[in-house]
Amino acid sequence: SMKSFRELDVWNKAMELTDLVYEIASKLPQSEKYALGDQIRRAVVSIPSNIAEGFGRDSHKDFAHFLSIARGSLYEVDTQLEIALRRGYIKKNDTITSLMNDVSKMLSVLSKRLRST
């Protein structure tokens, strides 16, 4: 059994996503640095943070609950990136799209596994 959340592939992918989203947020126009920029940074940080917090909980049910919060934050990031894209602040980024899809699938699989034990 795993000793640390750092061993979870989903946490590592979420950290990778966080790095990439931070890079994008830093390139937003000055007018969005605080509004959309802060919002997207908070949401993306919430993904690996909730995975880690859930890992530290006492029950599988609690862990699954935190994974659900992480998934909500992931969808929030997806929406905020779409807003930035539609506003013309960023270009479509296939690496980020692919990472978000991976993290989403991994969260679902892990959640299902936890709920069935």
Side-chain angles (χ1 to χ4, degrees):
S1 144
M2 293 191 183
K3 291 171 179 49
S4 168
F5 59 85
R6 292 171 182 274
E7 295 176 52
L8 292 170
D9 290 337
V10 68
W11 181 84
N12 283 292
K13 282 237 191 238
M15 289 298 286
E16 205 180 316
L17 178 64
T18 301
D19 290 338
L20 290 175
V21 170
Y22 257 73
E23 266 178 54
I24 283 177
S26 74
K27 294 180 176 114
L28 289 172
Q30 199 57 45
S31 62
E32 288 294 353
K33 281 272 197 275
Y34 299 106
L36 189 58
D38 280 355
Q39 188 78 25
I40 201 168
R41 280 188 292 269
R42 274 197 303 275
V44 80
V45 161
S46 174
I47 302 166
S49 299
N50 276 291
I51 295 166
E53 186 170 352
F55 185 89
R57 293 298 167 135
D58 292 331
S59 74
H60 286 180
K61 186 179 176 218
D62 281 348
F63 190 5
H65 172 72
F66 279 90
L67 294 179
S68 167
I69 295 168
R71 186 179 310 107
S73 296
L74 177 66
Y75 294 162
E76 196 179 336
V77 169
D78 193 5
T79 299
Q80 291 156 355
L81 288 172
E82 180 65 25
I83 290 166
L85 186 66
R86 289 178 181 209
R87 301 289 307 147
Y89 300 150
I90 64 171
K91 296 202 177 347
K92 187 138 180 55
N93 186 316
D94 292 336
T95 305
I96 284 186
T97 301
S98 172
L99 258 177
M100 286 193 300
N101 289 336
D102 289 350
V103 171
S104 182
K105 284 180 197 142
M106 293 166 99
L107 286 170
S108 292
V109 168
L110 184 53
S111 232
K112 282 187 185 110
R113 241 186 246 146
L114 289 167
R115 290 181 199 282
S116 70
T117 56

